Amino acid sequence: MLAAFFAAFAAVFLLELPDKTTALTLVLSTRYRARAVFAGAAVAFVLQAAIAVGLGSAITLLPTRIVAGAVAVLFAIGAVLLIRESLEEPSPEASNGAELRAATPVLKAAGASFVLLFTAEWGDASQVTAIGVAAHYDHPVMVFLGAFLALMVVTTLALVVGRTIRDRVPAHFIQRGAAAVFIVFAIIAAVEAIAG
C-alpha cells in the first residue's frame, strides 16, 4: 500500500518540477496573495488527482489534438495578456504589485488560480502517470494522496520562489518573462495538436 503512495508521489513530483504548472504558479504568485493561489491550486489538484485515479485509463480516450489545441490557445491568450499588462505604466504606489495583490479579493484570486491550474494540468504527463500508477497498484486512495501531495509540494516551492522573485525583480520583467514562457508552452501544445 505504501509503495503505491511513494510511486505516485515520486513520479508526479519529478514530472511537475520542470513543468508548466510550476511556471504558472510562479506567475500567479506575482499577481495574487500566496494563500489564494495555494487554495485555488489545492482545489484544482484534488480534482485532478481524483479524475486521474477515478477515471483510470479513460483519459486516453480524449482526443489529444483537442486537449493540446485548447492548452495552446489558453497559453497564447495568457501570453498576450501578460505582455499587455507589462507594457502598462505602473502607478508609483503599486510599482511592486503589493497593492494589486492586496486589492484582489481572495475568492477571485483563488478562482483564477483554480481555473488556470486545473486547465494546465488537464491531460498532463503527471496526470497520465497517476492513472498508470493507479492501474498498476490497485490502491486508488494511496495513489490519490501521493499525487495530490506531490502537486502541493511543488506548488509550495513555486510560491516560495515566486515571493523571492517578486521582491527583487520589477513586475514588468516578471510579466514579460512569464509571457515568453507561455509562448513556448503555447507553441509546444500547438505542435502536439497538429502532430497528434
Side-chain angles (χ1 to χ4, degrees):
M1 214 158 79
L2 283 179
F5 171 84
F6 287 117
F9 182 90
V12 171
F13 181 81
L14 292 173
L15 285 170
E16 284 301 317
L17 268 182
D19 194 55
K20 62 189 173 289
T21 307
T22 304
L24 184 56
T25 303
L26 284 167
V27 172
L28 289 168
S29 73
T30 65
R31 296 189 46 85
Y32 304 123
R33 288 178 269 189
R35 71 174 185 234
V37 176
F38 188 84
V43 175
F45 296 151
V46 160
L47 290 175
Q48 284 293 352
I51 289 167
V53 171
L55 296 180
S57 63
I59 190 78
T60 60
L61 301 177
L62 290 174
T64 305
R65 286 184 172 187
I66 292 174
V67 173
V71 170
V73 168
L74 287 171
F75 276 117
I77 291 169
V80 168
L81 293 174
L82 284 165
I83 290 169
R84 191 177 74 188
E85 189 173 313
S86 76
L87 297 174
E88 292 175 0
E89 196 65 38
S91 63
E93 65 274 359
S95 60
N96 68 359
E99 286 80 10
L100 175 64
R101 286 188 297 279
T104 305
V106 172
L107 282 177
K108 181 179 178 183
S113 299
F114 165 79
V115 169
L116 289 170
L117 291 168
F118 181 82
T119 304
E121 195 62 25
W122 187 259
D124 194 50
S126 61
Q127 187 182 45
V128 174
T129 299
I131 290 168
V133 173
H136 178 73
Y137 283 100
D138 197 30
H139 290 289
V141 173
M142 297 308 285
V143 174
F144 168 83
L145 289 173
F148 172 71
L149 289 176
L151 288 163
M152 293 312 297
V153 168
V154 171
T155 298
T156 302
L157 292 172
L159 288 171
V160 169
V161 171
R163 180 182 306 161
T164 303
I165 290 171
R166 80 167 182 244
D167 291 342
R168 293 184 173 88
V169 180
H172 65 278
F173 286 135
I174 295 171
Q175 292 162 338
R176 289 175 191 165
V181 171
F182 275 38
I183 289 168
V184 170
F185 288 140
I187 292 169
I188 291 169
V191 168
E192 288 176 4
I194 292 167

